[in-house]
Amino acid sequence: MKKMILSGVTALALFTGGVIGSGSIGSSVEAAQATLKFKDVPSTHWAAAAINSAVEQGFFKGYSDGTFKPSSPVTKAEMASILGRLTDQPNAAAQEANNFTDVPEWAKGGVSSAIAKGFIIPSNYNGKLDAKASLTRGEMATWLAQGLTVVDPDYKQALSDVTNTVIPAKEYFTGKLASNQKNAVAVALGTGLMSVASDKNFGTDRTTTRAEVAVLISRYANVAKTKPADFQGLNELREVGLRGTNINIIAPKYKVLPESRYPESEDYSKVTGDFAKVRNQELVTKTNYADIKVKNWIVINPYLEGAARSIYYPVFVDENSKPLRGAYYSFAEFEMNIKNSMNQLQAGSLIQTVSMNPVISPSSKAVLNYSVPHINDLLGSKGVFNVKNPVYWGKGLLHFDKELNPEVFLRLKDGTYFKVIPINN
């Protein structure tokens, strides 16, 4: 990876500590040595290495009292100045003018450069950047995602593809994730640029700290040199956004049978293996208690470790949880329109496929921590639904064992039916 260096000679002389420009940088050796003296950044600090690197490269300096203040927030003007000086970042083909009226003099050049490099889009603002305000994580995700679209046009496509995706963050499931930041948060999570906190929230309204920025500088450089298609998590988010499921990535052996293997008595033109044609469409039900749709379908292979795991693993599955006989976990988000009344058991009679079970929701601690909508939240006395239009996640299994009926079959009211099974060739 090519080492990131500073561009321009903008000196932020107004700061005693904080962001610095190339005009006030000593040698990299001196800078690196300086970080070792920060009283508040021990070698065990989670961002110690990134802070050392950021100081060495001249993005930050310490304070006169010997501290770095890793938990102090970074302002929009400061972050714009850092992003504007990333020399590996190309300029955007189409650039808007810096029409902000509230940017301090020392930051105007840096903000203009950040605009030129595509991180900041002035037309998204009302003439004011609120430059002295602390940068939030939501806006940070937006700036970084916008920067990636300049590096590779496929990142721009990715930002569009994730519009209707399921985002592995608590705010998504609680409905508190702002729509204007949702896509950027998805890309930030899918590329590993940013992550959720211990409370499982992304924290869009939380401020971005100096330590976080030090880490993000390095991460952004790595992500910008990587093709979007090389991130499994981002691929899953895009697939779910476009088709409502990640099965093609997690369980690619599940496919629709070719026409040559179907009996002549069946109308093959009605068969589909594309879940996008099933998503949000009314299904044929075996009973008449309610109309039902499947909004999203998430499949998780619980036998993988590390980066090979689904990006949705932490949302639905507890560590070391594995079903029997090599099955994968299958989680479906149901939307129903109950006609009169319906209890929990009657919900299970609507559709009957082991991969999508409307009777129960996942019982993992993970689901509780992420506040995934659960059937128990919608049931009143005697297990009767207390709302007419429940939306919640159900739990099933995706089997590969032929003895356990591995077929996934759903019939739509328009005559189309979704039918996939594991195929080895």
Side-chain angles (χ1 to χ4, degrees):
M1 184 184 74
K2 184 163 55 174
K3 184 178 180 181
M4 295 171 59
I5 60 174
L6 297 174
S7 66
V9 293
T10 304
L12 309 185
L14 296 180
F15 290 94
T16 302
V19 181
I20 61 176
S22 56
S24 59
I25 302 173
S27 72
S28 61
V29 174
E30 291 172 344
Q33 290 175 342
T35 62
L36 300 177
K37 299 178 182 178
F38 292 147
K39 296 182 294 187
D40 54 352
V41 186
S43 59
T44 54
H45 189 281
W46 67 271
I51 290 170
N52 286 347
S53 178
V55 172
E56 180 181 356
Q57 295 176 65
F59 290 108
F60 286 104
K61 68 176 181 179
Y63 290 83
S64 58
D65 63 356
T67 63
F68 181 79
K69 302 188 188 306
S71 299
S72 293
V74 172
T75 69
K76 296 184 185 182
E78 290 172 337
M79 191 64 209
S81 296
I82 289 175
L83 295 176
R85 290 181 281 128
L86 299 183
T87 56
D88 287 347
Q89 177 74 14
N91 285 335
Q95 301 176 18
E96 297 184 12
N98 181 356
N99 61 356
F100 295 124
T101 61
D102 63 338
V103 176
E105 191 64 34
W106 64 263
K108 286 182 178 179
V111 172
S112 293
S113 184
I115 292 171
K117 293 178 182 295
F119 291 109
I120 301 173
I121 301 176
S123 57
N124 290 341
Y125 297 83
N126 241 353
K128 290 188 177 182
L129 183 63
D130 200 12
K132 296 181 180 179
S134 297
L135 181 69
T136 64
R137 284 173 52 82
E139 196 162 12
M140 169 68 84
T142 299
W143 287 9
L144 296 180
Q146 288 169 172
L148 289 174
T149 66
V150 176
V151 175
D152 187 330
D154 194 31
Y155 278 113
K156 183 175 182 179
Q157 184 60 50
L159 267 176
S160 174
D161 290 347
V162 298
T163 297
N164 295 312
T165 198
V166 174
I167 298 180
K170 188 173 183 177
E171 296 102 319
Y172 169 82
F173 295 104
T174 58
K176 296 179 180 179
L177 185 57
S179 59
N180 66 334
Q181 294 180 338
K182 174 184 174 182
N183 293 36
V185 169
V187 170
L189 290 172
T191 57
L193 253 179
M194 302 174 77
S195 60
V196 297
S198 58
D199 64 0
K200 310 309 177 186
N201 282 298
F202 182 84
T204 52
D205 294 332
R206 296 172 184 169
T207 57
T208 305
T209 68
R210 286 162 57 83
E212 289 173 331
V213 169
V215 171
L216 286 171
I217 291 170
S218 176
R219 285 184 184 171
Y220 182 84
N222 289 325
V223 171
K225 296 178 189 302
T226 307
K227 293 292 183 182
D230 291 336
F231 292 105
Q232 177 182 295
L234 184 58
N235 290 338
E236 287 186 73
L237 292 168
R238 295 174 76 170
E239 279 285 295
V240 174
L242 295 172
R243 295 178 176 82
T245 184
N246 63 344
I247 191 172
N248 292 334
I249 295 172
I250 302 301
K253 288 185 178 181
Y254 264 83
K255 299 176 183 177
V256 63
L257 278 174
E259 186 173 7
S260 60
R261 296 174 62 176
Y262 263 86
E264 293 183 4
S265 59
E266 292 194 43
D267 183 358
Y268 192 76
S269 67
K270 294 292 187 179
V271 181
T272 183
D274 184 0
F275 197 75
K277 296 179 180 179
V278 178
R279 180 189 206 183
N280 294 320
Q281 301 300 312
E282 287 194 2
L283 304 177
V284 172
T285 57
K286 295 181 179 296
T287 57
N288 200 37
Y289 295 111
D291 294 323
I292 186 171
K293 302 175 183 178
V294 180
K295 295 169 64 66
N296 293 288
W297 180 29
I298 303 297
V299 175
I300 294 174
N301 177 352
Y303 304 98
L304 298 176
E305 301 290 338
R309 281 179 170 175
S310 168
I311 195 171
Y312 295 106
Y313 186 106
V315 178
F316 292 98
V317 181
D318 292 336
E319 195 67 36
N320 298 319
S321 175
K322 295 178 175 64
L324 298 175
R325 300 183 73 166
Y328 289 3
Y329 284 116
S330 171
F331 304 99
E333 184 183 19
F334 297 109
E335 179 180 1
M336 299 181 188
N337 178 23
I338 299 174
K339 296 179 179 179
N340 293 302
S341 68
M342 182 176 70
N343 62 37
Q344 184 176 9
L345 290 178
Q346 290 168 338
S349 68
L350 295 173
I351 58 173
Q352 294 177 347
T353 172
V354 295
S355 59
M356 300 180 192
N357 189 351
V359 174
I360 57 172
S361 289
S363 57
S364 62
K365 293 179 181 178
V367 162
L368 179 63
N369 291 337
Y370 276 87
S371 295
V372 176
H374 197 285
I375 190 172
N376 290 350
D377 300 327
L378 304 167
L379 300 176
S381 61
K382 298 182 180 180
V384 176
F385 282 87
N386 54 27
V387 293
K388 287 291 185 181
N389 301 103
V391 177
Y392 65 95
W393 288 81
K395 174 186 175 181
L397 293 173
L398 195 66
H399 290 291
F400 291 84
D401 190 331
K402 292 182 180 180
E403 295 181 1
L404 299 175
N405 184 23
E407 178 182 274
V408 181
F409 177 79
L410 298 169
R411 188 181 294 275
L412 275 66
K413 287 188 175 180
D414 67 2
T416 301
Y417 59 94
F418 176 81
K419 191 174 185 180
V420 292
I421 62 173
I423 301 175
N424 294 323
N425 53 36

